[in-house]
Each structure stands twice: as C-alpha cells, then as structure tokens.
Amino acid sequence: MSTVTLPRNRGEGHDLTDCPPRTVVAVVIEWHGRIGLFKRSQSVGHDRGLWHCITGYLEPATSPRQQALAELEEEAGLSFGDLAGFQPGEPLLLPDEDGNPWLIHTFTAVSSRRRLTLNDEHDGFRWTLPSKISRFSNRVPWLDTVLQAARPDAMTEAGR
C-alpha cells in the first residue's frame, strides 16, 4: 500500500494515523487507451467543476470491488457486462486538505463502450490520452496519484 506521510492535526498534538480513515473507491475508466475524466456537477457537495474519476464511499458490508462496480453503474451507466477488463490497483492512504486520512481502493475498468450515461454527479466527461491529462488544470489534486496507483504501467508509458 502506498502511503503519504500525514501531518499532525493542528494544535492537538496527536498523529492523524491514529484516526480511522474514510474509505472510498476510485475507478479509472479506460477506452481504447484513453482515460475518462468526469467533470463534477454543481449538485455534489465537494469538488464542483473539477475533473476526476469515478468515486464513491465504501458502504458497510460491501467489498471494495462490489462498491467500485456499483459506482460504475450508478455514475457512468456501465455494467460488468460492458467491461472488457476490470482490475484492482494499489490502495492508497492520502490526507485531504485538512490532513484527515482517506483510504482509497483504486481500480481500472476497461470499457467496451465509448458512450456513457452519466448521473447528476457529473456535467460531462472526456476521453483523453494519459499524456494529455495535465492539460486539465482544473482537476482534483489527488487525481494523478490515483491514476498512477490504478494504472502504473500505462502512466509510465505516457511519460508521467
């Protein structure tokens, strides 16, 4: 598991690694060597207007794999039958802007479909080459780390 050193909580003197992390899944969708980037809508509580991958909180009594597949169907309209591949990536432990820890289970889903059906969490999506992702300057700050964990071979080939 990749970890990032978590800062101490401001003024409290204890290490945030003692706090239980929030657990989420992050799914990178690929189609013909391109990555799907999703623009967060104004109807969501955070990251509005920013580009990122498919994400969701891990529900109780649900495995990360099950949750990732559920998020794919909910947010992009992709069922397991629409996938040419589905692989877990490396889990990550990352701090948010307040230093709170997040455990992120990463996955790569290879879509057999170009067209996706978005729910209200996203205003749109774009297929882009991994080497062009840096052109999306308004992406969530953790996206590159998630892409590297979910697809290390492809990101290395793209010169990242």
Side-chain angles (χ1 to χ4, degrees):
M1 174 186 297
S2 289
T3 59
V4 173
T5 302
L6 300 173
R8 293 192 178 273
N9 200 359
R10 296 179 189 127
E12 292 189 20
H14 67 275
D15 193 326
L16 283 175
T17 56
D18 294 336
C19 300
R22 296 178 183 165
T23 305
V24 296
V25 296
V27 185
V28 176
I29 302 176
E30 183 180 320
W31 174 77
H32 289 277
R34 297 177 183 266
I35 302 296
L37 294 182
F38 298 82
K39 190 168 187 182
R40 299 284 284 173
S41 74
Q42 295 302 307
S43 70
V44 296
H46 55 87
D47 298 331
R48 294 179 183 141
L50 300 180
W51 294 95
H52 76 57
C53 59
I54 299 295
T55 59
Y57 287 97
L58 184 62
E59 298 292 333
T62 305
S63 73
R65 183 180 193 278
Q66 291 170 323
Q67 190 68 50
L69 290 168
E71 297 298 335
L72 278 173
E73 188 149 9
E74 177 185 317
E75 295 184 31
L78 290 172
S79 68
F80 187 73
D82 296 321
L83 303 180
F86 185 75
Q87 295 294 322
E90 186 177 346
L92 299 169
L93 185 62
L94 298 175
D96 64 16
E97 63 276 356
D98 295 323
N100 300 309
W102 289 77
L103 175 58
I104 306 168
H105 294 277
T106 65
F107 295 86
T108 298
V110 180
S111 177
S112 59
R113 294 187 0 216
R114 179 177 184 262
R115 291 190 181 177
L116 304 177
T117 304
L118 304 181
N119 70 358
D120 66 340
E121 293 181 44
H122 307 286
D123 287 333
F125 75 96
R126 299 286 181 270
W127 294 113
T128 188
L129 293 170
S131 61
K132 308 287 186 195
I133 289 172
S134 63
R135 293 184 181 179
F136 290 80
S137 60
N138 58 334
R139 62 192 187 279
V140 292
W142 46 262
L143 181 61
D144 294 346
T145 304
V146 167
L147 289 169
Q148 181 65 40
R151 313 178 61 253
D153 294 337
M155 297 311 290
T156 301
E157 291 169 11
R160 298 199 132 242

